[in-house]
Amino acid sequence: MVQPLPPRKQMGFLLALKKQRGIPEPVYPGQTFPVNPFTNTSRKKGNTLSKSKKMGVIQLTTVTAINMMGSGIILLPSKLAEIGTVSIFAWILASLGATLLAYAFSVCGMYGKKSGGMGGYAEYRFGRAGNFLANFTYAISLIIANIAIATGVVSYASYFFGFELSPIGVCAATIGVLMLAASISFGGPKEAGRFSTLGVVCVLTPVAGLLLAGWYFFDPAIYAAAWNPEDLPFSITMRDSIAVILWAFLGLETACANSETVENPTRNVPIAVLAGTLLAGFVYTVSTAIIGGLVPYGELIGSEAPFGLAYAAMFGDTAALIVSGMLVCSCFVSLTAWQFTISEVVRNGASLGQFPSFLTKVNRFRSPYLAIISLVTIQSILTLSTISPTLLKQFNVLINLAVMVNLIPYLLSMFSVPALQRAEGLSGRKAKFTNFTAVCGAFYSIYAVYGCGWDIITDGIIVALFGLVIYAFKTYRVQPAPNLATYPPFHIHKK
């Protein structure tokens, strides 16, 4: 017989149910939601770092910026070339919006006590339904995002090896890359993260080289000619750019992942998140602008390797091939880490009762193999359903859908910030400022949703409704343990 639990006014139903049923902790102790796949800062419980070994605010700012800069930018210059170099204003707006979101998430991550990452944040305002919907849509967005990363691997690999693929060939190659990355994930977290440092070096080196040497080769005439080639109204250029650019910032919700390794985290983490996100936005903006002044927009539009073209314009074809090879390596390493990460997201959700229980099974390497197999199957189906005439076209469809679905948990989290702060006893000027950033971040997210286009918005709504149907079906079958308090109060009566 199940023993009743004492009342928990500040503990969500899912966390209490998990504790009562003895569900094991995730592979990464203390993390129920993924950190950036290039980092792993988790430590055994009870271990603490001495003050001399902890990071200061400048170090944390640098780490935050580096963790945020990944493979998201490598194909964006080609997409933005369709709009023109006027998109630099959208980069500035997106950087500010991403900074506000990251700051609000950093506060939520430091003070939120409910399990489930963004789902836990959403539960403060929307209850268990919000927790489930946020985690469900976040998982779906990562599934789609990983397909986009695989498309980036195929895109730069085709440039590196000098072959052209038909739409069927692109589809088959993308599925093959997804399966290869997933097969590495069967080896567990150590295998999935074995080459993470190499991946970071391979993506940062081309970007850093562009920032340092690009200005010497920069041609203002090329940049001016690409300003607004279609002569679109300014509002339209902003709308069409903002959602695409937000793709480069996905993962900002994990900006406070290193908070336990920082001196005075209450003060330094928010400062570092603000400065680090702005720094990442600056690097993105400047590097994209430099490419716009190196490669004529006619060549850049539709290019499958914009960084390769930029380096070819500066140092010749050999340098372009080297950089393209580095970006193939970087994207694949990133994909391997994220394939394992999304499997952990799903496994953790299953351990909380949000997804089917068979997804919690792990092999002897502690890898959730059934979750990985299920996710690759879904990704293969989605890859087939989004097949397009060109790699860039398929990439655009995928990132727009990934951004749209990912904005659902962002909005749920931002709307829940005031409730979270009240529940955790936060008040004063800092709480008011956090509420202000959350409101601004919510408006920015709504504008980004609008920029995705109505077809993508419709797809996002369908995904959300599908999630709610699943939740309604599950709650009809679930009997809560006695005396469990939830916030907001929610009761299930099983017939």
Side-chain angles (χ1 to χ4, degrees):
M1 181 176 179
V2 177
Q3 296 297 320
L5 295 172
R8 289 167 166 82
K9 293 184 178 180
Q10 301 300 331
M11 181 178 290
F13 170 78
L14 293 174
L15 178 59
L17 190 61
K18 179 181 177 183
K19 288 182 178 293
Q20 184 193 46
R21 294 185 178 179
I23 297 174
E25 290 298 316
V27 171
Y28 301 117
Q31 294 176 5
T32 53
F33 234 50
V35 299
N36 188 292
F38 289 142
T39 61
N40 182 9
T41 59
S42 50
R43 302 187 304 278
K44 292 183 178 180
K45 188 175 181 180
N47 289 354
T48 58
L49 294 177
S50 64
K51 185 175 181 180
S52 61
K53 295 182 179 180
K54 290 189 175 183
M55 291 187 290
V57 66
I58 296 178
Q59 292 172 298
L60 183 60
T61 297
T62 304
V63 170
T64 301
I66 290 175
N67 286 351
M68 200 169 294
M69 290 185 289
S71 58
I73 193 178
I74 63 172
L75 285 176
L76 290 189
S78 295
K79 170 60 180 175
L80 294 174
E82 300 174 4
I83 300 167
T85 51
V86 67
S87 60
I88 189 172
F89 292 108
W91 272 110
I92 295 172
L93 176 61
S95 299
L96 294 175
T99 300
L100 294 173
L101 286 170
Y103 178 84
F105 277 123
S106 72
V107 174
C108 291
M110 290 178 63
Y111 297 105
K113 299 297 189 297
K114 295 183 183 294
S115 178
M118 285 192 287
Y121 310 154
E123 186 175 341
Y124 281 94
R125 176 63 183 84
F126 299 101
R128 289 179 291 128
N131 189 319
F132 175 83
L133 183 60
N135 286 344
F136 175 79
T137 51
Y138 187 65
I140 295 296
S141 73
L142 289 184
I143 290 172
I144 300 169
N146 284 3
I147 303 174
I149 296 174
T151 303
V153 174
V154 175
S155 182
Y156 272 85
S158 65
Y159 179 88
F160 181 78
F161 293 106
F163 55 74
E164 293 186 6
L165 294 174
S166 66
I168 299 297
V170 170
C171 183
T174 302
I175 293 175
V177 170
L178 287 166
M179 289 183 174
L180 180 60
S183 65
I184 295 175
S185 299
F186 285 127
K190 288 186 178 180
E191 195 68 28
R194 185 180 298 275
F195 302 104
S196 60
T197 301
L198 176 63
V200 173
V201 171
C202 285
V203 74
L204 291 183
T205 300
V207 174
L210 192 64
L211 292 175
L212 294 174
W215 292 112
Y216 180 78
F217 300 92
F218 184 85
D219 188 342
I222 294 178
Y223 186 85
W227 181 252
N228 191 355
E230 300 295 330
D231 197 26
L232 298 172
F234 180 75
S235 60
I236 300 300
T237 63
M238 293 290 288
R239 182 200 67 187
D240 292 347
S241 304
I242 200 72
V244 176
I245 291 174
L246 185 57
W247 161 258
F249 291 98
L250 292 189
L252 57 85
E253 67 279 357
T254 64
C256 62
N258 300 292
S259 60
E260 293 182 1
T261 65
V262 185
E263 297 177 7
N264 192 8
T266 303
R267 171 186 175 273
N268 290 341
V269 168
I271 294 174
V273 166
L274 284 170
T277 310
L278 285 174
L279 178 59
F282 173 79
V283 172
Y284 281 148
T285 303
V286 174
S287 59
T288 306
I290 291 175
I291 292 178
L294 292 174
V295 184
Y297 75 92
E299 298 179 24
L300 200 55
I301 293 176
S303 170
E304 296 175 354
F307 275 81
L309 287 181
Y311 272 84
M314 292 190 295
F315 304 114
D317 293 339
T318 301
L321 288 176
I322 293 173
V323 166
S324 297
M326 293 178 70
L327 291 176
V328 169
C329 175
S330 170
C331 283
F332 185 75
V333 170
S334 175
L335 177 64
T336 301
W338 275 111
Q339 284 288 76
F340 183 79
T341 298
I342 179 58
S343 68
E344 275 298 295
V345 173
V346 172
R347 190 185 78 86
N348 292 335
S351 70
L352 293 171
Q354 296 179 341
F355 302 127
S357 59
F358 73 88
L359 296 174
T360 61
K361 293 184 179 180
V362 298
N363 60 16
R364 62 190 182 94
F365 301 108
R366 302 197 72 185
S367 174
Y369 65 100
L370 290 181
I372 293 172
I373 294 172
S374 301
L375 290 167
V376 171
T377 302
I378 295 172
Q379 288 171 334
S380 300
I381 295 172
L382 287 174
T383 303
L384 290 169
S385 66
T386 57
I387 188 169
S388 302
T390 66
L391 274 164
L392 187 61
K393 179 67 175 177
Q394 183 167 358
F395 180 78
N396 292 340
V397 172
L398 289 169
I399 64 173
N400 278 326
L401 186 56
V403 168
M404 169 61 213
V405 177
N406 199 77
L407 285 169
I408 296 173
Y410 278 15
L411 284 168
L412 291 173
S413 298
M414 292 302 102
F415 289 143
S416 302
V417 168
L420 182 152
Q421 294 197 107
R422 286 196 303 270
E424 301 302 337
L426 302 177
S427 59
R429 294 176 60 184
K430 183 176 179 180
K432 291 180 180 179
F433 178 74
T434 303
N435 288 340
F436 172 76
T437 60
V439 170
C440 293
F443 277 112
Y444 166 73
S445 299
I446 292 171
Y447 182 67
V449 168
Y450 168 68
C452 290
W454 290 110
D455 290 341
I456 299 297
I457 291 174
T458 301
D459 292 339
I461 292 173
I462 291 173
V463 170
L465 290 176
F466 184 65
L468 289 174
V469 169
I470 294 175
Y471 175 76
F473 177 75
K474 288 181 67 64
T475 54
Y476 176 79
R477 301 178 60 189
V478 172
Q479 176 67 40
N483 300 325
L484 280 180
T486 61
Y487 182 83
F490 189 86
H491 304 285
I492 304 174
H493 301 285
K494 184 178 179 180
K495 294 181 180 180

PDB file of all heavy atoms in Angstrom, residues 68 92 161 178 199 201 239 250 262 366 385:
ATOM      1  N   MET A  68      27.255  29.391 -25.946  1.00  0.00           N
ATOM      2  CA  MET A  68      26.108  29.770 -26.759  1.00  0.00           C
ATOM      3  C   MET A  68      26.432  29.756 -28.247  1.00  0.00           C
ATOM      4  O   MET A  68      25.552  29.616 -29.093  1.00  0.00           O
ATOM      5  CB  MET A  68      25.613  31.162 -26.346  1.00  0.00           C
ATOM      6  CG  MET A  68      24.185  31.459 -26.754  1.00  0.00           C
ATOM      7  SD  MET A  68      23.582  32.961 -25.977  1.00  0.00           S
ATOM      8  CE  MET A  68      23.578  32.473 -24.268  1.00  0.00           C
ATOM      9  N   ILE A  92      20.793  42.953 -34.240  1.00  0.00           N
ATOM     10  CA  ILE A  92      20.875  43.772 -33.025  1.00  0.00           C
ATOM     11  C   ILE A  92      19.649  43.540 -32.142  1.00  0.00           C
ATOM     12  O   ILE A  92      19.760  43.329 -30.930  1.00  0.00           O
ATOM     13  CB  ILE A  92      21.006  45.264 -33.398  1.00  0.00           C
ATOM     14  CG1 ILE A  92      22.338  45.502 -34.121  1.00  0.00           C
ATOM     15  CG2 ILE A  92      20.920  46.141 -32.149  1.00  0.00           C
ATOM     16  CD1 ILE A  92      22.476  46.898 -34.699  1.00  0.00           C
ATOM     17  N   PHE A 161      33.696  17.735 -50.164  1.00  0.00           N
ATOM     18  CA  PHE A 161      34.030  16.616 -51.052  1.00  0.00           C
ATOM     19  C   PHE A 161      33.703  16.912 -52.516  1.00  0.00           C
ATOM     20  O   PHE A 161      34.031  16.105 -53.393  1.00  0.00           O
ATOM     21  CB  PHE A 161      33.299  15.353 -50.606  1.00  0.00           C
ATOM     22  CG  PHE A 161      33.768  14.818 -49.283  1.00  0.00           C
ATOM     23  CD1 PHE A 161      32.991  14.962 -48.141  1.00  0.00           C
ATOM     24  CD2 PHE A 161      34.999  14.188 -49.173  1.00  0.00           C
ATOM     25  CE1 PHE A 161      33.422  14.469 -46.920  1.00  0.00           C
ATOM     26  CE2 PHE A 161      35.442  13.700 -47.953  1.00  0.00           C
ATOM     27  CZ  PHE A 161      34.660  13.837 -46.828  1.00  0.00           C
ATOM     28  N   LEU A 178      22.217  11.250 -39.017  1.00  0.00           N
ATOM     29  CA  LEU A 178      21.473  11.143 -37.762  1.00  0.00           C
ATOM     30  C   LEU A 178      21.689   9.778 -37.113  1.00  0.00           C
ATOM     31  O   LEU A 178      21.901   9.674 -35.895  1.00  0.00           O
ATOM     32  CB  LEU A 178      19.982  11.370 -38.016  1.00  0.00           C
ATOM     33  CG  LEU A 178      19.549  12.804 -38.326  1.00  0.00           C
ATOM     34  CD1 LEU A 178      18.130  12.827 -38.890  1.00  0.00           C
ATOM     35  CD2 LEU A 178      19.634  13.678 -37.087  1.00  0.00           C
ATOM     36  N   GLY A 199      35.086  19.854 -31.105  1.00  0.00           N
ATOM     37  CA  GLY A 199      33.969  20.512 -31.763  1.00  0.00           C
ATOM     38  C   GLY A 199      33.944  22.006 -31.513  1.00  0.00           C
ATOM     39  O   GLY A 199      33.681  22.799 -32.424  1.00  0.00           O
ATOM     40  N   VAL A 201      36.544  23.928 -30.757  1.00  0.00           N
ATOM     41  CA  VAL A 201      37.673  24.536 -31.474  1.00  0.00           C
ATOM     42  C   VAL A 201      37.360  24.673 -32.954  1.00  0.00           C
ATOM     43  O   VAL A 201      37.661  25.706 -33.577  1.00  0.00           O
ATOM     44  CB  VAL A 201      38.949  23.691 -31.261  1.00  0.00           C
ATOM     45  CG1 VAL A 201      40.075  24.185 -32.175  1.00  0.00           C
ATOM     46  CG2 VAL A 201      39.393  23.746 -29.814  1.00  0.00           C
ATOM     47  N   ARG A 239      10.855  41.433 -39.896  1.00  0.00           N
ATOM     48  CA  ARG A 239       9.974  40.285 -39.626  1.00  0.00           C
ATOM     49  C   ARG A 239      10.551  38.997 -40.200  1.00  0.00           C
ATOM     50  O   ARG A 239      10.551  37.953 -39.541  1.00  0.00           O
ATOM     51  CB  ARG A 239       8.606  40.543 -40.250  1.00  0.00           C
ATOM     52  CG  ARG A 239       7.576  39.445 -40.005  1.00  0.00           C
ATOM     53  CD  ARG A 239       6.455  39.513 -41.018  1.00  0.00           C
ATOM     54  NE  ARG A 239       6.935  39.196 -42.364  1.00  0.00           N
ATOM     55  CZ  ARG A 239       6.191  39.316 -43.457  1.00  0.00           C
ATOM     56  NH1 ARG A 239       4.941  39.767 -43.372  1.00  0.00           N
ATOM     57  NH2 ARG A 239       6.690  38.991 -44.647  1.00  0.00           N
ATOM     58  N   LEU A 250      19.331  29.537 -29.886  1.00  0.00           N
ATOM     59  CA  LEU A 250      18.659  28.452 -29.179  1.00  0.00           C
ATOM     60  C   LEU A 250      19.641  27.752 -28.252  1.00  0.00           C
ATOM     61  O   LEU A 250      20.765  27.452 -28.633  1.00  0.00           O
ATOM     62  CB  LEU A 250      18.059  27.459 -30.169  1.00  0.00           C
ATOM     63  CG  LEU A 250      16.891  27.962 -31.021  1.00  0.00           C
ATOM     64  CD1 LEU A 250      16.268  26.801 -31.797  1.00  0.00           C
ATOM     65  CD2 LEU A 250      15.835  28.646 -30.175  1.00  0.00           C
ATOM     66  N   VAL A 262      30.739  29.202  -9.569  1.00  0.00           N
ATOM     67  CA  VAL A 262      30.982  30.639  -9.644  1.00  0.00           C
ATOM     68  C   VAL A 262      31.024  31.253  -8.251  1.00  0.00           C
ATOM     69  O   VAL A 262      30.271  30.854  -7.351  1.00  0.00           O
ATOM     70  CB  VAL A 262      29.864  31.332 -10.464  1.00  0.00           C
ATOM     71  CG1 VAL A 262      30.176  32.812 -10.649  1.00  0.00           C
ATOM     72  CG2 VAL A 262      29.702  30.666 -11.804  1.00  0.00           C
ATOM     73  N   ARG A 366      24.755   3.124 -19.530  1.00  0.00           N
ATOM     74  CA  ARG A 366      23.820   4.125 -19.012  1.00  0.00           C
ATOM     75  C   ARG A 366      23.312   5.041 -20.125  1.00  0.00           C
ATOM     76  O   ARG A 366      23.040   6.215 -19.918  1.00  0.00           O
ATOM     77  CB  ARG A 366      24.451   4.953 -17.889  1.00  0.00           C
ATOM     78  CG  ARG A 366      24.945   4.117 -16.710  1.00  0.00           C
ATOM     79  CD  ARG A 366      25.183   4.953 -15.488  1.00  0.00           C
ATOM     80  NE  ARG A 366      23.906   5.381 -14.913  1.00  0.00           N
ATOM     81  CZ  ARG A 366      23.799   6.206 -13.872  1.00  0.00           C
ATOM     82  NH1 ARG A 366      24.892   6.701 -13.318  1.00  0.00           N
ATOM     83  NH2 ARG A 366      22.618   6.543 -13.420  1.00  0.00           N
ATOM     84  N   SER A 385       9.500  13.909 -44.563  1.00  0.00           N
ATOM     85  CA  SER A 385       8.346  14.794 -44.759  1.00  0.00           C
ATOM     86  C   SER A 385       8.747  16.213 -45.111  1.00  0.00           C
ATOM     87  O   SER A 385       7.921  16.988 -45.616  1.00  0.00           O
ATOM     88  CB  SER A 385       7.479  14.808 -43.496  1.00  0.00           C
ATOM     89  OG  SER A 385       8.166  15.410 -42.414  1.00  0.00           O
TER      90      SER A 385
END
